[in-house]
Amino acid sequence: MNELTKIGKKRTILLSISILLVSIHTIYFYHSVRPEIELKKLIQQLIRFSLTIGLLILVYEGKNWAKIVSLILFSLALLGALIGLGTLDTPFMNKIPIIVAIFVYSMAIYHFGFAKSFKEFFKFQNTEISESIQDSKEVMESEKFWKIIEVTKSESYGDYEKQQSLLKRELLKLTATEVLEFDNKFRTLRGEIYTWDFWAAAYIINGGCSDDCFSDFRGWLIGQGQSIFENAIQNIETLTELKETNDGDWEGLSYIATDIYENKTGKDIPQGVQENFEITGEEWEEDENDLKNRFPKLYAKFGME
């Protein structure tokens, strides 16, 4: 479930609760101004309230007919509230519940009818989950892994966002287990370059690099292909051969497999292989002279001078 889908889910729940609260207040207000409760009317209102709950549940589950019916009913409710607001001769404070109802129904109509987040959530709810969920410690074989990376790199022509889209395309061709094995391989490689030298390279290239930045850098570097990756392991200063660095915007590639697995199974990706989080190598100082002396070629190309 991507971020937009999660937003759609959250807003659907919040709006559904708001609609039910408006309904409860309407029932309460109707009977509070009368000397005694009209039992027949109350039963009718409770039946309608129960049907509203059922309708909202069906909308949440992705039933298209329920969405259409709800939009019609919310539109009628909004129209009724607007008429009531215009014709009710009462102090402003007494009109506040009607104004709140107008706001809630307006938001519901917009959300269920037009909001991108709901469309994404609605589409997700209607995605058929057909693949089983299973953990695996297996890693994808190197040749297959790097072939996928090379395809995305060669077809993206240096456009990192396009490369991410292409990786989604390639991973969608795989089974859920293969996606997990790809992610295992990806995280294994990312762990292999969790070293002070690679952090220094990211720091020099970007003019500074936090822990999160370094994680994104390692994912981005894997996306540059097998040759660049393996050459850098042998000699970190071969990174001077990089033709572009995406201006330090390295986030994205590391999360593709996780999203695709979730789309295929409806569940979070299993832990799989444990990534290495123990940094190795010789620590460096955040000092220009230290970085310049230890990584002269990198500093000459990407440093401040």
Side-chain angles (χ1 to χ4, degrees):
M1 187 180 295
N2 60 36
E3 194 61 33
L4 190 60
T5 304
K6 291 178 181 177
I7 292 172
K9 177 181 178 180
K10 181 179 179 180
R11 290 180 179 173
T12 299
I13 293 172
L14 290 176
L15 275 171
S16 297
I17 293 172
S18 299
I19 290 166
L20 294 177
L21 289 175
V22 168
S23 298
I24 291 172
H25 181 271
T26 301
I27 295 172
Y28 167 78
F29 181 77
Y30 179 87
H31 293 281
S32 65
V33 297
R34 286 164 172 74
E36 59 181 32
I37 295 176
E38 298 178 15
L39 186 59
K40 183 178 180 180
K41 182 68 173 180
L42 178 60
I43 292 173
Q44 292 174 346
Q45 290 171 327
L46 291 177
I47 291 173
R48 284 200 297 269
F49 182 75
S50 299
L51 291 174
T52 301
I53 293 175
L55 184 64
L56 290 171
I57 290 173
L58 291 171
V59 171
Y60 179 87
E61 292 177 347
K63 306 299 182 183
N64 191 56
W65 68 266
K67 182 185 73 171
I68 295 172
V69 171
S70 68
L71 285 171
I72 294 172
L73 293 178
F74 296 154
S75 298
L76 292 174
L78 176 61
L79 179 61
L82 288 170
I83 293 173
L85 182 65
T87 58
L88 190 63
D89 185 15
T90 185
F92 176 77
M93 290 299 295
N94 293 339
K95 293 183 178 181
I96 290 179
I98 299 178
I99 295 173
V100 172
I102 290 172
F103 174 77
V104 170
Y105 288 129
S106 298
M107 290 298 296
I109 292 169
Y110 169 76
H111 179 69
F112 294 131
F114 306 100
K116 290 182 179 180
S117 60
F118 178 74
K119 290 178 181 178
E120 283 295 313
F121 175 62
F122 196 77
K123 182 171 67 175
F124 177 81
Q125 291 295 75
N126 283 281
T127 300
E128 183 178 353
I129 305 301
S130 58
E131 298 196 43
S132 60
I133 304 162
Q134 48 187 312
D135 200 354
S136 174
K137 304 296 183 183
E138 297 294 323
V139 298
M140 181 174 284
E141 60 183 41
S142 291
E143 183 178 354
K144 184 176 181 180
F145 176 87
W146 286 116
K147 183 178 180 180
I148 292 172
I149 295 296
E150 293 295 344
V151 166
T152 66
K153 184 173 185 291
S154 63
E155 293 185 16
S156 60
Y157 302 102
D159 185 332
Y160 191 45
E161 288 190 8
K162 185 176 181 180
Q163 184 179 16
Q164 294 173 55
S165 297
L166 290 169
L167 182 57
K168 291 179 182 178
R169 182 197 69 186
E170 293 302 310
L171 294 186
L172 282 170
K173 299 175 183 178
L174 307 178
T175 65
T177 300
E178 288 173 323
V179 173
L180 176 56
E181 291 173 357
F182 175 92
D183 190 58
N184 285 342
K185 180 67 173 179
F186 192 98
R187 289 187 293 109
T188 298
L189 294 174
R190 192 170 59 188
E192 286 180 9
I193 58 173
Y194 189 40
T195 71
W196 284 108
D197 280 2
F198 276 94
W199 200 336
Y203 189 95
I204 294 170
I205 291 170
N206 195 48
C209 190
S210 65
D211 194 6
D212 288 340
C213 166
F214 182 39
S215 178
D216 293 335
F217 170 77
R218 287 177 285 142
W220 172 82
L221 188 60
I222 293 169
Q224 300 311 296
Q226 184 176 13
S227 177
I228 290 175
F229 182 85
E230 293 182 349
N231 287 342
I233 290 178
Q234 296 299 318
N235 180 2
I236 192 68
E237 296 218 276
T238 59
L239 291 178
T240 55
E241 299 171 6
L242 287 170
K243 295 181 180 179
E244 56 86 24
T245 61
N246 208 49
D247 296 325
D249 185 10
W250 298 320
E251 186 178 6
L253 210 65
S254 298
Y255 313 116
I256 304 299
T258 300
D259 290 341
I260 297 301
Y261 186 92
E262 188 172 343
N263 287 340
K264 283 180 169 289
T265 65
K267 300 294 182 180
D268 293 337
I269 194 167
Q271 180 178 344
V273 171
Q274 178 63 48
E275 183 175 344
N276 169 51
F277 292 112
E278 293 292 331
I279 193 165
T280 59
E282 183 182 352
E283 188 173 356
W284 40 269
E285 298 291 334
E286 292 186 51
D287 176 84
E288 287 188 21
N289 290 329
D290 186 34
L291 292 170
K292 185 176 181 179
N293 291 334
R294 289 178 57 180
F295 311 99
K297 293 181 181 179
L298 279 170
Y299 199 88
K301 181 170 182 177
F302 300 108
M304 299 298 293
E305 295 184 350

